[in-house]
Amino acid sequence: MELACWTPMAFYKKMFPRDKEGKAFIPANTFREAFTSAVIYYYIKKDREIENRVRSYLLNKNLKPEEIVEKIKEIISRKYGILDEIEIPEKIFINEQDLYETKAVVFDLKKWEDVAEFEIEVLKGKVNVPLRLEHPEKLKAACHSHCEALSRMEMKMLEDHPLVKNFYLPLTDSIKKWEIPLRMGMWTDARFKGHLLFFWRIKEIREKILKELKTDIRPKRIIYLPEENATAGWCELTI
């Protein structure tokens, strides 16, 4: 399989990790996290029973932020084992020529302003990924559902900002044609990234999480790369 980074992908600690020989790589967890966000969103949206179980957990428990995603994954995995069927090596090596340093900002989509600025190493190019999927069509459906929802959410918050016309509208059209779209790496500084996106429309859940955890469900602060005029981490996996 091949991963194409259509907009630059960043890593969490400003540089991609290296092995003992100095070779840069993408850790398997970067892929697992992207797949997890997509599967959580898709199966809560698709399956009313799963939605009700997750809703009950979020509303009736004293929430611990470090446990929420794992608990939701557990609920989904009891019925759908798609995440357990993905086999991926712990290190996916990158060509050094596809890495470069650039300026990044944390951009608040609601306020339309930069709230932080830093230099970061990014990946833009194509990477061979020896990944094994038992049910690629199911994963494809989940990833399309999630990434298309993310792009629509970000556009909606931006309203008539120039990024909508110059970046998000063309991006949204492109995502529909990608084989398996993924949002990968460090693309937001939100605590739950895109994991709880489905529940933004449910007032009682978003208010509880905001009250108890002081966290907005939406990933409203995203990583923007001024030199690319793009937000980070929009990738396509092809079989």
Side-chain angles (χ1 to χ4, degrees):
M1 295 186 182
E2 186 176 71
L3 180 74
C5 302
W6 294 119
T7 70
M9 178 171 64
F11 193 66
Y12 306 97
K13 296 180 180 179
K14 298 193 176 182
M15 290 186 67
F16 282 83
R18 266 74 173 173
D19 68 3
K20 293 180 180 179
E21 297 177 352
K23 296 179 181 178
F25 63 89
I26 306 171
N29 280 343
T30 304
F31 282 88
R32 294 191 186 109
E33 183 177 69
F35 291 140
T36 296
S37 284
V39 166
I40 286 175
Y41 179 83
Y42 180 68
Y43 281 104
I44 293 175
K45 178 182 177 182
K46 178 182 178 180
D47 190 320
R48 183 58 62 85
E49 178 188 6
I50 294 294
E51 178 189 340
N52 288 337
R53 288 181 182 177
V54 176
R55 181 200 295 257
S56 177
Y57 161 68
L58 292 173
L59 289 177
N60 299 320
K61 300 291 183 181
N62 293 322
L63 299 177
K64 298 180 180 179
E66 67 276 9
E67 295 180 357
I68 288 176
V69 174
E70 288 303 315
K71 290 289 187 182
I72 295 175
K73 280 173 59 180
E74 182 182 323
I75 290 169
I76 293 172
S77 294
R78 289 174 193 161
K79 190 170 183 179
Y80 302 101
I82 186 171
L83 289 172
D84 298 327
E85 297 166 352
I86 299 171
E87 296 181 13
I88 184 168
E90 290 304 311
K91 298 176 182 178
I92 297 89
F93 288 97
I94 307 167
N95 292 323
E96 289 285 342
Q97 61 265 31
D98 293 329
L99 294 169
Y100 63 96
E101 291 189 5
T102 190
K103 174 185 173 182
V105 299
V106 179
F107 181 71
D108 190 303
L109 294 167
K110 290 297 290 182
K111 297 179 180 179
W112 294 11
E113 65 182 22
D114 301 344
V115 295
E117 179 181 316
F118 49 92
E119 291 291 317
I120 196 166
E121 183 178 62
V122 296
L123 166 66
K124 190 174 183 185
K126 296 185 177 181
V127 181
N128 181 48
V129 183
L131 179 69
R132 184 167 178 242
L133 305 175
E134 289 290 331
H135 297 96
E137 289 306 312
K138 292 181 180 179
L139 192 63
K140 179 179 179 179
C143 291
H144 268 281
S145 182
H146 182 245
C147 280
E148 289 173 26
L150 274 179
S151 65
R152 289 193 300 268
M153 180 212 72
E154 292 174 28
M155 278 199 296
K156 186 175 181 179
M157 283 196 283
L158 283 168
E159 298 178 343
D160 59 348
H161 189 281
L163 264 178
V164 171
K165 180 180 178 181
N166 297 334
F167 176 70
Y168 277 102
L169 285 174
L171 172 74
T172 302
D173 288 340
S174 295
I175 288 173
K176 294 174 182 177
K177 302 170 188 175
W178 294 352
E179 192 164 354
I180 301 178
L182 295 168
R183 195 75 180 277
M184 294 187 63
M186 188 182 73
W187 57 271
T188 178
D189 67 353
R191 173 182 281 171
F192 296 113
K193 304 191 83 171
H195 293 326
L196 303 183
L197 182 63
F198 175 84
F199 287 105
W200 170 249
R201 65 185 181 86
I202 300 175
K203 183 179 179 181
E204 56 187 344
I205 292 178
R206 70 172 187 257
E207 288 184 349
K208 181 182 180 184
I209 290 176
L210 185 61
K211 180 180 179 181
E212 289 192 10
L213 304 180
K214 306 296 187 289
T215 297
D216 192 322
I217 288 177
R218 297 171 299 175
K220 68 177 184 177
R221 301 205 317 181
I222 49 89
I223 306 302
Y224 173 68
L225 308 168
E227 292 182 10
E228 298 276 355
N229 192 34
T231 55
W234 297 100
C235 302
E236 177 189 9
L237 186 66
T238 56
I239 299 173

